[in-house]
Amino acid sequence: NAGVTQTPKFQVLKTGQSMTLQCAQDMNHNSMYWYRQDPGMGLRLIYYSASEGTTDKGEVPNGYNVSRLNKREFSLRLESAAPSQTSVYFCASSVQHSYNEQFFGPGTRLTVL
Amino acid sequence: QKEVEQNSGPLSVPEGAIASLNCTYSDRGSQSFFWYRQYSGKSPELIMFIYSNGDKEDGRFTAQLNKASQYVSLLIRDSQPSDSATYLCAGTSGTYKYIFGTGTRLKVLA
């Protein structure tokens, strides 16, 4: 089992460009999450999907959109990237929402120039 | 005030000593707490979780929860240089809220 996979691992964008971060899990988990991690700020929840077919905003959703494509896949889209979105992005999944351990992907390091 | 607070450290302890990592939370409705370890440049991985007041032990790790005082701690006995990492405390409450602290950097000195 690969667990949680993310692509790409690294990405450099120019301001205003768009991109989609991909995430997939093979653990048959119901819930999936997108976080960003910045120095001194810890992990902050961008969006989550409690179950297939639902998505909800987290703490810092502005500038992002998500799609729960199916039970395995949860993508994060930046429509018009800004330097403030330079960060490390982690996707995570859990069996059920909120009260279970979360399993994290390896992360995507994004730089917006 | 952040909902989950941790001292950023670094906390330095000699090899073989007990490392004590602390976390306080502001939401009295928080029910479950998790400790994750994150090595530099890697993703977080779960070490322990605790739901009930008291202590929970797993090998060299002990998690402690005191809901009345709203704090959670993680003790690492016989600390090893390989324990050097950032330790993230997370608490859950309500619907989506899975809130992480900013993490405490631990350095175990050989």
Side-chain angles (χ1 to χ4, degrees), chain A residues 37 48 97-99 101-102 105, chain B residues 36 38 43 51 92 95-96:
Chain A
Q37 187 173 39
Y48 70 103
H97 181 46
S98 194
Y99 295 104
E101 171 187 6
Q102 293 190 6
Chain B
Y36 288 82
Q38 186 175 25
S43 55
Y51 302 147
T92 68
T95 51
Y96 77 81

Side-chain angles (χ1 to χ4, degrees), chain A residues 4-60:
Chain A
V4 180
T5 57
Q6 291 181 237
T7 56
K9 286 188 168 50
F10 300 93
Q11 184 71 50
V12 179
L13 293 177
K14 293 181 180 177
T15 297
Q17 287 185 316
S18 63
M19 79 161 296
T20 300
L21 280 64
Q22 306 286 354
C23 173
Q25 52 91 11
D26 62 2
M27 296 175 283
N28 201 35
H29 285 173
N30 289 300
S31 304
M32 298 185 74
Y33 310 84
W34 277 106
Y35 292 92
R36 60 179 289 174
Q37 187 173 39
D38 304 290
M41 301 291 287
L43 283 161
R44 292 183 292 170
L45 183 64
I46 304 172
Y47 270 93
Y48 70 103
S49 172
S51 60
E52 186 179 359
T54 69
T55 60
D56 286 284
K57 295 177 181 179
E59 183 184 355
V60 288

Side-chain angles (χ1 to χ4, degrees), chain B residues 23 33 35 53 63 72 79-80 86 97 102 110:
Chain B
C23 169
F33 298 89
W35 282 100
N53 271 330
V72 192
S79 295
Q80 302 296 309
T86 296
K97 285 198 170 187
T102 54

